[in-house]
Amino acid sequence: MSRQWDVVVIGAGAAGLSAARAVAAAGLSCLCLDRLGPGGALMNLGPLHHLPGGKAGPDLAAELVEAATAAGAELGFGEARALTGGPPWAVATGEETHLARAVILAPGLAPGRLGVPGEEAFEGRGISHCAACDGPLHRGEEVVVAGGDAWAGQEALDLAALARLVTLVHPEGAPPRLPAAPPPNLALLPGRVVALEGDGGLAAVRVATGGAERRLPARAVFVQCGRAPALGFAEGAVARDAAGHARVDAAMAAGAALFAAGDARAGAPQRAADAIADGVRAGEAAARLLKGLGSGAG
């Protein structure tokens, strides 16, 4: 079964929902498709410290969903398995194929990986990817956040309100941006996690730092490094940089009637406000392109 759309947006996070709203507001038919449901990474975030008032991620997601659907965008559930054609494009999920005159890629990033031996054994037993979900389980304990981007900084700030000590392990020379006066129980450590220790659950991590190795007691490590763009379904359809992000121009165009927005595009600052701006820019660019071509879908 298939249906023709003017635009299919793949991913219903901050960028995808914003793109869908912009497309629908221009009077074009738009499907915003996500494998889990609307909200994306926002659903796992507490207060967004870079936004006025520190609005919580789920609250922002609810506002974006309301705005997109009010504009006329439709939300769909399904995991994109393949992107072919172009244009028109065919977006195949496990059950159906969606045809589109244009596609906006906004799938965000896949969960992070430390890349250390035995990592899989600690999943759910000390390794986490969501401070809002698992942080309360570690109230009053020592935890580690691994990563150097804005999401890592956000996770560390959220955890500092719960844990006794949060150590943010970040790449040498690239600490994430934090408030001028971070919480006193938030420590920065340049380096990388190289080993996990524990029997029946995480007890400590080993960090390579400054040419030496340091052992940190930790009941959990929140992994925000090694997060690759979730663009495997678009292999061959979009040019990507060395880290796997979609290459785009100033209008978020990644190819013929193909756009990318949010954390999956090259150079993304990986902050909710920037993802929203990306989505609007991509949605408006797609609408301009299709209106210039004429013959919209039903």
Side-chain angles (χ1 to χ4, degrees), residues 184-283:
N185 63 331
L186 172 53
L188 296 178
L189 179 62
R192 62 186 180 88
V193 175
V194 294
L196 305 171
E197 296 181 0
D199 183 11
L202 187 69
V205 302
R206 291 194 174 275
V207 178
T209 176
E213 193 171 291
R214 180 174 168 185
R215 183 181 186 274
L216 300 178
R219 297 297 297 168
V221 55
F222 292 80
V223 183
Q224 293 297 318
C225 58
R227 301 174 68 213
L231 287 169
F233 65 89
E235 197 66 42
V238 59
R240 300 162 73 177
D241 66 13
H245 297 80
R247 297 183 183 276
V248 299
D249 64 16
M252 303 289 111
L258 182 65
F259 302 83
D263 294 350
R265 64 97 172 164
Q270 296 184 12
R271 293 171 13 130
D274 298 288
I276 290 169
D278 262 21
V280 171
R281 193 176 303 120

Side-chain angles (χ1 to χ4, degrees), residues 7-13 15-17 19 31-33 80 82-84 89-91 102-108 229-240 244-248 252-255 257-266 275 278-279 282-283 286:
V7 179
V8 168
V9 179
I10 301 175
L17 290 168
L31 172 67
C32 190
L33 185 67
L83 176 66
T84 56
W89 293 98
V91 181
V103 166
I104 299 174
L105 304 172
L231 287 169
F233 65 89
E235 197 66 42
V238 59
R240 300 162 73 177
H245 297 80
R247 297 183 183 276
V248 299
M252 303 289 111
L258 182 65
F259 302 83
D263 294 350
R265 64 97 172 164
D278 262 21

Side-chain angles (χ1 to χ4, degrees), residues 104-157:
I104 299 174
L105 304 172
L109 304 178
R113 296 274 303 166
L114 293 169
V116 302
E119 181 172 358
E120 294 78 7
F122 286 98
E123 282 287 345
R125 298 168 55 242
I127 286 185
S128 175
H129 308 275
C130 173
C133 310
D134 298 332
L137 300 175
H138 302 286
R139 190 181 299 273
E141 298 179 346
E142 296 183 33
V143 301
V144 167
V145 176
D149 61 17
W151 289 121
Q154 176 78 49
E155 292 274 275
L157 288 168

